[in-house]
Amino acid sequence: MDQRTAGSEEWRALAQQLRADSIRSSTGAGSGHPTSSMSAADLMSVLMSKYLRYDFDEPENPGNDHLIFSKGHASPLLYSMYKAAGAITDEELMTFREFGSRLQGHPTPVLPWVDVATGSLGQGLPIGIGVALAGKYLDEEPYRVWVLCGDSEMAEGSMWEAFQHASFYKLDNLVAILDMNRLGQTRETMDGWNGDHYASRARAFGWHAIEVDGHDPEAIDNAYSEALGNDGPTLIVAKTKKGYGVSFLEDVDGMHGKPVTPDREEAALEELGGTNDLRVDVHKPDGTASTGGGSTGEADLPTWELGDEEATRGAYGAALKAVGGARDDVVALDGEVSNSTHSQEFAEEYPERYFEMFIAEQQMVAAAVGMSVRRYVPFASSFAAFFSRAYDFIRMAAISGADLRLSGSHAGVSIGEDGPSQMALEDIAMMRAVHGSTVLQPSDANQTAKLVAQMADTSGISFMRTLRPKTPVIYSAEEDFPIGGSKTIASSDDDEVTIIGSGITVHEAIKAADALAGENISVRIVDCYSIKPIDAAGIQAAVRATGNRVVVAEDHWPEGGVGEAVLSALAEDGGEPVEFRHLAVTKMPGSGKSEELLSSHGIDAEHIARAVRELVG
Amino acid sequence: MDQRTAGSEEWRALAQQLRADSIRSSTGAGSGHPTSSMSAADLMSVLMSKYLRYDFDEPENPGNDHLIFSKGHASPLLYSMYKAAGAITDEELMTFREFGSRLQGHPTPVLPWVDVATGSLGQGLPIGIGVALAGKYLDEEPYRVWVLCGDSEMAEGSMWEAFQHASFYKLDNLVAILDMNRLGQTRETMDGWNGDHYASRARAFGWHAIEVDGHDPEAIDNAYSEALGNDGPTLIVAKTKKGYGVSFLEDVDGMHGKPVTPDREEAALEELGGTNDLRVDVHKPDGTASTGGGSTGEADLPTWELGDEEATRGAYGAALKAVGGARDDVVALDGEVSNSTHSQEFAEEYPERYFEMFIAEQQMVAAAVGMSVRRYVPFASSFAAFFSRAYDFIRMAAISGADLRLSGSHAGVSIGEDGPSQMALEDIAMMRAVHGSTVLQPSDANQTAKLVAQMADTSGISFMRTLRPKTPVIYSAEEDFPIGGSKTIASSDDDEVTIIGSGITVHEAIKAADALAGENISVRIVDCYSIKPIDAAGIQAAVRATGNRVVVAEDHWPEGGVGEAVLSALAEDGGEPVEFRHLAVTKMPGSGKSEELLSSHGIDAEHIARAVRELVG
């Protein structure tokens, strides 16, 4: 189809093909969401025929628009579009949902034209904000971000975080298309076909909103045209029918996520005018723009003198600023606590690369994912406890293969007076259980700086847990701390027990060792700064060398943290019995001074020393 | 103060006292948020003097209003109100943030007048929705729910989930009070003092909205009065100044979370008219209403015959319906996937006790917390993967001491074609790392039913992970499955290896044992249906009896799941070397058939058998 001369007849024919292919692929698979695809077919037909600028032969072309299916379950529609664009064959289309196929149940970047995995509702739009932020403020490229949204997902709060941020940042390169088909999985949505509800909300959030009949190609054309002329983000509220085009599917309840059964497939296709093989030459972007960012120098990291007192969160901020100075593809985001996490130091030096995400952790992580789509190197920070707010986004980011760096401050009971709501005590477990993640917890400032520098080059999702209180600098600025390593602080042939600490408990372990030395008990201290990957060989060697006796102390719940990571590491070489003592937080903390809490939760020097005495006694 | 004759002078004097006490307590502590307290003092002064109905001597009085500080960092204000109400002494007020004090940095239910812990922003309002839902639809009591919100937390999407649900459920017993003091932690909020932004958004979400000067007691009085006459929820947008009343604090940036230094305390108090000891006789509720729910019979649980095929999610739904039949305090909530989780069976039988939370998992968990405040027994369900969306709410619910039952369906790669976005592979790690939690994963229908019945009586946060595919019934309906137990399926004196499975892998273990029996390798199978608490003694005994050889197979990432729970259990009795093989999901899955995925991820019968052969070979 030549899109320059195409009109509503051609658009309608293409839409019917997209519907037919959505049915064919999902009936072939025996599962999938054809009706949720059919409602949006006209919207996508017009978009790909006239508005989308995308080079399917060069998905990395930085001038390409970005099309995100926030309603990822409409994957049959997306894949049918790829067929119509000539990106995949009909044969591949029919592999939908098969083992080994790129055409998974929900889109993932296994396909080169998919930016991010969707399928957990309410994520595509916030991620689109990140891509649009990059387009407007970093790339300064004219690409547009189109996000197809479902009406059920408008119940997700993350969508409204996106509405706020898109408006605040005046994202005129963003168009959200709401496929208002009325029906959710089991029932009507809260707002049904009340398009004015969505439109008035969008306007109240500072967006331009257009209501349109989502099955009228000319009206859709006009809406897109209008959307492009705004000085801010636009929401197109399209009234549609689920299963549109087939009488026995159209606006019928109970058909969500159900393919047409093979015996009814022919009848359905007949109503759609049969199968077809229309081909759309999607507009390619004008010219080839430059890729964003890219200079990668060696960071001039800050250093501290032995014995200095500095919080690792402070060192994080200073190191992030240094890394930002060496690489102009590094960007920072924060959840409006930048003077606590210390990302403020970066923000003050590089305001054009700092994005304030306010108290909206889901949007913060989503924006970082969107920026990683554009090959930036995002560092996002908040209190470690509050990353639990964005866990679904982090989980999905791993499926997207995104490269994110997260920094969570205020680890554990050591934060003191603020109380348990501000204490991260589950973050290590949470972050270890992310596919391909890296989990770090430095204990001093120089170590922090070295690890921050490495995070910039680390793929996947890396997480650094930092401390609120100041801790003494125990390592010289010359030492190296490779990710996956550990540091043995004290060691002799007489060591009877290995003490493994991480973060604050490293300092408690050192104090315990001093006390024990006075009792002629020699211990080995291992600083487990890299919790995942963990230095399994180093830990095995230390424990084996100290009579297979080990004490692990951590400022975290007992489950899924350093202790269990150590047990997994020790289980790898098996064969030798280990006497294991695990000191972790086991009761609900309250407020108090850092020392009081470390003591009352049994993870301070005194308790570590006591555990050692029990093991050797 | 006699509130019936009080007027703006008295209200103003009380507000000044609340401010002075907020300063005194936080200066005494050396930390805290006095300026965030001072902005809302007039709002709370009028509320407690004239509108709040609360019996401080009887916090369990079911007629009491509920006052939730969604901006939990304004705890100095809340505690100052408690002093003014005579609930605590000035002496106790001055223990703010001390170790052992009930007056923690952020409010928790350690205090009998606090319903829920706050301090993670954006949670108080959604929880208030739950309390209001209980009031309107379950208790049918006239109590009101007042929620004090901060303007920074309006950036949290969860607030807008609450706005949608409050309107959909016509919660005329809910008043949200927005303390619009303009300043966040590091800068101005996105909307500053543009009260019309908030008001128009609230209206677009179907709320009644009132804009008011938050330092004018008479205007506040009028606003509360107007709020009570509406047929839906009301938002009062109060324009305030952070630090109001003290010249060097008022609307000054950079003062968030900072106490007045001791050297300036006297000057601050002087501006506020000095210290005071006004006492408010807060209205008690009329009469004593009955408590909600309460009948507790024995559930007539569904049963299945050995060899029947049933998905554990299906058994969950049937058992939940049975438990609902026996106890009228059981309520169910679902994230609009009730035909997937099978909570639909409860919904159809007891529609008056079922609450559709749509695709808003944060609001779902928050509403369950709110209902637990009113002593209901909530069961909330969604896909297990999507509980990651609500992890911060679950974390905070544990701090609240809430009793919640969560059911997550579609565990692991065994779900098949839908792909990784729908596969829970981190949920066990996430839920184990919740303080006091219970984590269950049944493998058959009869076991599921027995566990669901126990969940109703389980305190804290209990989580059941259910399977999408049908599995054969392997246990008779007469067997018991106590939480904290395990079930040994096959056992003989010749057993050479223990295989530990949970959920789907129990069935793979049985198939593996059959295959190995043909090779004269005898194995012991342990069904670890209770992952936390885990049957440490039972697992130790099994492993010790089988030559200290153990294979753990689980449909989960390797971190924080069944394997590490087993290692922790084995580490407890220490002393003996264990040969440990851990089969878990280690690469990113795609779509495919359940069997294909179990095989390709190395957790099916064949891989289990192979691991056993390696251990004995």
Side-chain angles (χ1 to χ4, degrees):
Chain A
M1 187 177 351
D2 182 337
Q3 59 204 337
R4 281 147 294 192
T5 61
S8 53
E9 279 318 302
E10 288 87 349
W11 292 330
R12 210 179 300 272
L14 176 61
Q16 294 294 73
Q17 172 180 313
L18 297 176
R19 290 187 177 96
D21 283 344
S22 295
I23 287 175
R24 292 173 59 236
S25 56
S26 51
T27 296
S31 67
H33 300 76
T35 59
S36 305
S37 296
M38 295 164 79
S39 56
D42 297 295
L43 293 161
M44 292 300 102
S45 168
V46 178
L47 182 72
M48 75 182 292
S49 298
K50 183 166 174 183
Y51 293 92
L52 189 70
R53 294 177 297 188
Y54 197 90
D55 186 346
F56 279 90
D57 295 325
E58 201 192 342
E60 293 290 324
N61 184 328
N64 282 341
D65 281 358
H66 292 265
L67 170 62
I68 299 173
F69 266 41
S70 195
K71 52 176 292 185
H73 56 288
S75 53
L77 172 60
L78 184 65
Y79 304 154
S80 298
M81 291 167 70
Y82 291 161
K83 176 193 148 184
I88 64 170
T89 62
D90 190 72
E91 192 180 3
E92 182 169 10
L93 178 67
M94 296 306 291
T95 67
F96 179 48
R97 287 174 167 251
E98 283 180 9
F99 181 71
S101 170
R102 300 189 294 180
L103 308 185
Q104 299 187 11
H106 295 74
T108 81
V110 169
L111 287 162
W113 317 288
V114 173
D115 285 330
V116 289
T118 52
S120 178
L121 291 172
Q123 301 210 7
L125 185 62
I127 292 169
I129 302 300
V131 180
L133 281 169
K136 188 176 172 83
Y137 295 102
L138 297 168
D139 294 329
E140 300 177 31
E141 290 287 348
Y143 63 76
R144 297 193 186 103
V145 181
W146 309 88
V147 183
L148 179 65
C149 305
D151 48 355
S152 277
E153 69 178 328
M154 298 297 274
E156 287 284 12
S158 54
M159 298 296 276
W160 300 100
E161 295 182 16
F163 271 87
Q164 291 175 81
H165 288 74
S167 159
F168 182 79
Y169 282 107
K170 304 188 195 316
L171 298 178
D172 51 5
N173 52 354
L174 177 77
V175 181
I177 306 157
L178 178 59
D179 176 21
M180 184 182 63
N181 66 22
R182 191 183 73 84
L183 292 172
Q185 175 165 330
T186 69
R187 55 164 291 164
E188 190 179 61
T189 63
M190 280 189 272
D191 295 286
W193 270 329
N194 294 299
D196 59 316
H197 289 196
Y198 299 110
S200 65
R201 289 168 196 178
R203 289 184 192 116
F205 278 92
W207 285 46
H208 187 69
I210 305 167
E211 290 188 67
V212 69
D213 174 353
H215 298 307
D216 178 344
E218 287 182 34
I220 294 166
D221 180 26
N222 290 336
Y224 288 142
S225 178
E226 183 181 336
L228 299 185
N230 291 316
D231 59 356
T234 300
L235 176 71
I236 295 173
V237 181
K239 181 178 174 184
T240 60
K241 289 182 178 172
K242 210 160 174 169
Y244 183 81
V246 173
S247 55
F248 56 86
L249 300 177
E250 200 172 291
D251 195 35
V252 174
D253 212 346
M255 284 304 293
H256 179 91
K258 293 194 179 138
V260 174
T261 52
D263 59 306
R264 300 211 291 180
E265 184 184 14
E266 198 180 318
L269 295 178
E270 200 172 317
E271 287 198 43
L272 293 167
T275 59
N276 209 339
D277 199 19
L278 297 174
R279 183 60 206 285
V280 181
D281 289 320
V282 174
H283 253 310
K284 294 183 182 182
D286 301 329
T288 300
S290 61
T291 44
S295 85
T296 56
E298 189 79 23
D300 184 18
L301 293 176
T303 59
W304 289 263
E305 297 296 316
L306 288 171
D308 282 357
E309 295 270 332
E310 176 64 278
T312 56
R313 60 181 173 131
Y316 168 77
L320 180 60
K321 184 172 84 169
V323 171
R327 301 179 55 149
D328 62 12
D329 54 358
V330 168
V331 297
L333 308 91
D334 198 283
E336 226 280 80
V337 289
S338 60
N339 56 348
S340 293
T341 63
H342 284 263
S343 69
Q344 197 171 49
E345 299 194 32
F346 181 99
E348 284 166 0
E349 192 77 14
Y350 306 107
E352 72 287 359
R353 285 188 271 145
Y354 175 81
F355 296 87
E356 182 55 69
M357 289 290 118
F358 300 93
I359 310 283
E361 296 80 8
Q362 296 183 93
Q363 177 60 76
M364 178 176 72
V365 171
V369 172
M371 289 174 184
S372 81
V373 165
R374 297 293 312 161
R375 305 284 176 250
Y376 290 96
V377 177
F379 282 76
S381 43
S382 184
F383 282 35
F386 302 145
F387 276 109
S388 63
R389 197 61 157 267
Y391 193 35
D392 194 25
F393 283 76
I394 298 168
R395 175 183 80 88
M396 289 293 295
I399 301 175
S400 292
D403 299 329
L404 300 186
R405 294 98 195 143
L406 309 177
S407 175
S409 65
H410 291 66
V413 302
S414 77
I415 70 163
E417 290 80 359
D418 271 338
S421 62
Q422 321 293 303
M423 294 170 176
L425 286 163
E426 58 294 303
D427 56 322
I428 297 175
M430 173 180 103
M431 293 306 306
R432 285 182 69 231
V434 169
H435 182 62
S437 65
T438 298
V439 181
L440 308 170
Q441 181 172 218
S443 59
D444 96 337
N446 285 322
Q447 190 183 52
T448 303
K450 292 287 176 76
L451 292 168
V452 170
Q454 291 173 74
M455 285 171 82
D457 295 314
T458 299
S459 59
I461 293 164
S462 51
F463 172 68
M464 173 175 281
R465 184 189 213 220
T466 67
L467 304 171
R468 194 192 73 79
K470 290 188 176 182
T471 48
V473 172
I474 56 175
Y475 300 115
S476 93
E478 275 68 52
E479 291 200 56
D480 285 322
F481 301 94
I483 288 176
S486 66
K487 187 62 83 177
T488 301
I489 293 178
S491 141
S492 83
D493 290 345
D494 302 327
D495 294 342
E496 298 179 74
V497 176
T498 294
I499 304 173
I500 299 178
S502 185
I504 196 79
T505 56
V506 168
H507 301 281
E508 298 301 318
I510 292 170
K511 284 184 260 178
D514 288 346
L516 291 163
E519 303 164 29
N520 282 319
I521 300 173
S522 178
V523 295
R524 186 161 301 188
I525 300 173
V526 175
D527 176 355
C528 184
Y529 62 84
S530 179
I531 303 171
K532 181 184 174 190
I534 196 165
D535 180 12
I539 286 171
Q540 288 160 9
V543 175
R544 301 314 175 208
T546 56
N548 284 313
R549 294 182 207 94
V550 58
V551 173
V552 178
E554 60 179 321
D555 195 355
H556 187 275
W557 300 127
E559 296 86 5
V562 180
E564 292 192 349
V566 166
L567 284 176
S568 282
L570 291 173
E572 276 178 25
D573 74 343
E576 291 197 52
V578 173
E579 290 183 86
F580 175 80
R581 291 291 178 280
H582 191 190
L583 309 184
V585 180
T586 56
K587 59 189 186 202
M588 184 58 71
S591 291
K593 291 192 182 70
S594 188
E595 316 82 76
E596 290 170 333
L597 293 167
L598 291 170
S599 169
S600 72
H601 292 280
I603 56 173
D604 67 347
E606 191 185 323
H607 287 83
I608 293 171
R610 193 181 304 166
V612 168
R613 281 184 210 108
E614 283 171 15
L615 281 177
V616 300
Chain B
M1 187 178 352
D2 183 337
Q3 60 204 339
R4 280 148 296 194
T5 60
S8 51
E9 279 318 301
E10 288 88 346
W11 292 331
R12 212 178 298 271
L14 176 60
Q16 294 293 73
Q17 173 179 315
L18 297 176
R19 290 187 178 96
D21 283 344
S22 296
I23 288 175
R24 293 174 58 237
S25 55
S26 51
T27 295
S31 66
H33 299 77
T35 59
S36 305
S37 297
M38 294 164 79
S39 56
D42 297 295
L43 293 161
M44 292 300 101
S45 168
V46 178
L47 182 73
M48 76 181 292
S49 299
K50 182 165 174 184
Y51 292 93
L52 189 70
R53 293 175 299 189
Y54 197 90
D55 186 347
F56 279 90
D57 295 326
E58 200 191 344
E60 291 291 322
N61 184 328
N64 282 343
D65 281 357
H66 292 264
L67 171 61
I68 299 174
F69 266 40
S70 195
K71 52 176 292 186
H73 55 289
S75 54
L77 173 61
L78 184 65
Y79 304 153
S80 298
M81 291 168 69
Y82 292 162
K83 175 192 149 184
I88 64 170
T89 62
D90 190 72
E91 192 180 3
E92 182 169 9
L93 177 67
M94 295 305 291
T95 67
F96 179 48
R97 287 176 166 249
E98 284 179 10
F99 182 71
S101 170
R102 300 188 294 180
L103 308 186
Q104 298 187 11
H106 295 75
T108 83
V110 169
L111 286 162
W113 318 288
V114 173
D115 286 331
V116 290
T118 52
S120 178
L121 290 171
Q123 299 210 8
L125 185 62
I127 292 170
I129 303 300
V131 179
L133 281 169
K136 187 175 173 82
Y137 295 103
L138 297 169
D139 293 331
E140 299 177 32
E141 291 286 349
Y143 62 75
R144 295 193 187 103
V145 181
W146 309 89
V147 183
L148 178 66
C149 306
D151 49 355
S152 277
E153 68 177 329
M154 298 297 273
E156 287 283 12
S158 53
M159 298 296 276
W160 301 99
E161 296 182 16
F163 271 88
Q164 291 174 81
H165 288 74
S167 159
F168 182 79
Y169 282 108
K170 303 186 196 313
L171 298 178
D172 52 5
N173 51 355
L174 177 76
V175 180
I177 305 156
L178 178 58
D179 177 20
M180 184 181 63
N181 66 22
R182 191 182 72 85
L183 291 173
Q185 175 165 330
T186 67
R187 53 163 293 166
E188 190 180 59
T189 65
M190 280 189 273
D191 295 286
W193 270 328
N194 293 296
D196 59 318
H197 288 195
Y198 299 111
S200 65
R201 289 169 195 178
R203 288 183 193 116
F205 278 92
W207 285 46
H208 187 71
I210 305 168
E211 291 188 67
V212 69
D213 174 352
H215 298 307
D216 177 345
E218 286 182 33
I220 295 168
D221 180 25
N222 290 336
Y224 287 143
S225 177
E226 184 182 335
L228 299 184
N230 292 316
D231 59 359
T234 300
L235 175 71
I236 295 173
V237 180
K239 181 179 174 185
T240 61
K241 288 182 180 172
K242 209 159 172 170
Y244 183 81
V246 174
S247 55
F248 56 85
L249 300 177
E250 200 171 292
D251 195 35
V252 175
D253 212 346
M255 285 304 295
H256 180 91
K258 295 196 179 134
V260 175
T261 51
D263 59 307
R264 300 211 291 179
E265 185 182 12
E266 196 179 319
L269 295 178
E270 198 172 319
E271 286 199 43
L272 294 167
T275 61
N276 208 338
D277 199 18
L278 298 173
R279 183 62 205 284
V280 181
D281 289 321
V282 174
H283 253 309
K284 295 183 181 183
D286 302 328
T288 300
S290 60
T291 45
S295 85
T296 57
E298 187 81 22
D300 184 17
L301 293 176
T303 60
W304 288 264
E305 297 295 318
L306 287 172
D308 281 356
E309 294 270 334
E310 177 65 278
T312 56
R313 61 182 172 131
Y316 169 78
L320 180 60
K321 184 172 85 170
V323 171
R327 300 178 57 147
D328 61 14
D329 55 358
V330 168
V331 296
L333 307 91
D334 198 281
E336 225 282 77
V337 289
S338 61
N339 56 347
S340 292
T341 62
H342 284 265
S343 69
Q344 197 172 49
E345 299 193 32
F346 181 99
E348 285 165 359
E349 192 78 14
Y350 306 107
E352 73 285 359
R353 284 188 272 144
Y354 174 80
F355 295 87
E356 183 56 69
M357 289 292 116
F358 301 92
I359 310 284
E361 296 79 10
Q362 296 184 92
Q363 176 60 76
M364 178 176 72
V365 171
V369 171
M371 289 175 184
S372 81
V373 165
R374 298 292 312 161
R375 305 282 177 253
Y376 290 95
V377 177
F379 282 76
S381 43
S382 185
F383 281 34
F386 302 145
F387 276 108
S388 62
R389 198 62 158 265
Y391 192 35
D392 194 27
F393 284 78
I394 297 168
R395 176 183 80 88
M396 289 293 296
I399 302 175
S400 292
D403 299 329
L404 300 187
R405 293 96 195 145
L406 308 177
S407 175
S409 66
H410 291 65
V413 301
S414 78
I415 71 163
E417 290 80 358
D418 272 337
S421 63
Q422 320 293 303
M423 294 170 176
L425 287 163
E426 58 294 301
D427 56 323
I428 297 175
M430 172 180 104
M431 293 305 306
R432 285 181 67 231
V434 170
H435 181 64
S437 65
T438 298
V439 180
L440 308 170
Q441 180 172 220
S443 59
D444 96 337
N446 285 322
Q447 191 184 50
T448 304
K450 292 286 174 73
L451 292 169
V452 170
Q454 291 172 75
M455 284 170 82
D457 295 314
T458 299
S459 59
I461 293 165
S462 51
F463 172 69
M464 173 175 280
R465 184 189 212 219
T466 67
L467 305 171
R468 193 193 74 81
K470 291 188 175 181
T471 49
V473 172
I474 55 174
Y475 299 115
S476 94
E478 275 67 52
E479 291 199 54
D480 285 321
F481 301 92
I483 289 175
S486 65
K487 186 61 84 176
T488 301
I489 293 177
S491 140
S492 83
D493 290 344
D494 302 328
D495 294 342
E496 299 178 73
V497 177
T498 295
I499 304 173
I500 299 177
S502 184
I504 195 79
T505 57
V506 169
H507 301 280
E508 299 301 317
I510 292 171
K511 283 184 261 178
D514 289 346
L516 291 163
E519 302 165 29
N520 282 320
I521 301 173
S522 179
V523 295
R524 186 162 301 187
I525 301 173
V526 175
D527 176 355
C528 184
Y529 62 82
S530 181
I531 303 170
K532 182 183 173 190
I534 196 164
D535 180 12
I539 286 171
Q540 288 160 8
V543 174
R544 302 312 176 210
T546 57
N548 284 314
R549 294 181 209 95
V550 58
V551 174
V552 178
E554 59 178 320
D555 195 355
H556 187 274
W557 301 126
E559 296 86 5
V562 180
E564 292 192 349
V566 166
L567 284 176
S568 281
L570 291 173
E572 277 179 22
D573 74 345
E576 290 198 52
V578 173
E579 290 183 86
F580 175 79
R581 291 290 178 282
H582 191 190
L583 309 183
V585 180
T586 56
K587 59 189 185 200
M588 183 57 72
S591 292
K593 293 193 181 70
S594 188
E595 315 83 75
E596 290 170 332
L597 294 167
L598 291 171
S599 168
S600 71
H601 291 281
I603 56 172
D604 66 347
E606 191 185 322
H607 287 84
I608 293 170
R610 193 181 304 165
V612 169
R613 282 184 211 109
E614 284 171 15
L615 281 177
V616 301

